[in-house]
Amino acid sequence: MMSYSLGPVLLKASSITRRVAELGARITRDMPKCGQILVVGVLNGAAVFVADLIRQMPPDLDVRLMFASASSYKDGTESEGAPKIQADWKAARGRHVLIVDDILDTGLTLSTMLRKARRQLPVSVRSCVLLDKKERRKTKVEADYVGFEIPDEFVVGYGLDCVGMWRHLRDIRSVKVEEDEGW
Ligand code: 5GP
Ligand code: MG
């Protein structure tokens, strides 16, 4: 049996807020002023981030929001391999697509999302992730917008979970994983 407990704060709520505002301003500046922008948030982890990010975009941008569901980490902190992704990809046609995810880790999720979006003949495709664990990459993919680069540590909070827990934390924190001794 694994047991999990909260570790130290890696990113305080105040620095996340500041960085999300910067990302929103940069994305707004880079986005064309005409045409529809389809923001695709990757559930469940990016729900909190995407909710804050789209509210940084001004009223004169034609922003639409949809969600994709990606299979998440099955148990605790271990990946189950290639992600399964479900979304209404047809909505990408003729739009400027912005894929928003919580963490860029191995890169499998983002590269799959990018491939699926591009098949629909969007006008453009960009990607934004709050966190980037560069050392963990298994496939060659980078995001156009990155909030923070972080070391290879499992983190929770601000939408990110560990076996379903801690998505509601305002700060981003690391997790201590311990294997309980069986009796
Ligand atoms: P990738 O396909 O890049 O390996 O995985 C990306 C997904 O793995 C993220 O969207 C996130 O759901 C999950 N993930 C990767 N690292 C972490 C982490 O440190 N904490 C949590 N909660 N999820 C993570
Ligand atoms: Mg995710």
Side-chain angles (χ1 to χ4, degrees):
M1 269 280 281
M2 293 294 201
S3 82
Y4 306 99
S5 57
L6 282 174
V9 172
L10 223 77
L11 297 164
K12 281 185 4 192
S14 55
S15 37
I16 298 170
T17 304
R18 212 176 315 120
R19 188 67 185 133
V20 172
E22 286 170 8
L23 287 173
R26 268 193 51 204
I27 292 168
T28 300
R29 199 190 55 208
D30 293 354
M31 280 293 171
K33 295 298 166 270
C34 56
Q36 290 175 3
I37 297 161
L38 178 67
V39 177
V40 184
V42 186
L43 293 174
N44 293 322
V48 174
F49 175 42
V50 79
D52 282 346
L53 187 68
I54 59 168
R55 284 178 292 170
Q56 301 298 321
M57 299 177 187
D60 59 322
L61 276 193
D62 185 356
V63 176
R64 316 291 173 101
L65 174 63
M66 79 172 204
F67 289 98
S69 68
S71 60
S72 62
Y73 279 43
K74 202 180 352 193
D75 255 319
T77 60
E78 283 310 310
S79 171
E80 60 188 296
K84 292 180 212 73
I85 294 166
Q86 278 186 309
D88 177 18
W89 286 112
K90 290 189 296 299
R93 182 171 296 251
R95 287 171 161 169
H96 297 277
V97 174
L98 178 70
I99 294 167
V100 178
D101 205 355
D102 48 7
I103 303 199
L104 181 51
D105 186 34
T106 64
L108 294 172
T109 307
L110 186 61
S111 58
T112 307
M113 297 274 303
L114 289 169
R115 196 170 57 245
K116 291 195 178 223
R118 284 187 183 122
R119 261 189 224 146
Q120 301 297 324
L121 306 179
V123 185
S124 67
V125 182
R126 292 182 174 87
S127 58
C128 174
V129 296
L130 181 67
L131 307 173
D132 186 355
K133 290 187 196 170
K134 273 204 185 312
E135 324 158 32
R136 295 254 310 163
R137 213 72 94 245
K138 285 188 188 154
T139 174
K140 199 166 171 281
V141 63
E142 296 303 329
D144 298 294
Y145 306 96
V146 174
F148 303 91
E149 265 186 46
I150 61 163
D152 179 13
E153 265 178 63
F154 196 82
V155 294
V156 294
Y158 197 68
L160 290 150
D161 77 313
C162 175
V163 284
M165 298 184 289
W166 300 320
R167 291 193 197 278
H168 64 296
L169 306 185
R170 294 165 59 86
D171 302 319
I172 289 177
R173 304 175 60 155
S174 61
V175 171
K176 284 187 279 197
V177 184
E178 268 157 342
E179 188 146 11
D180 291 345
E181 296 287 330
W183 288 93

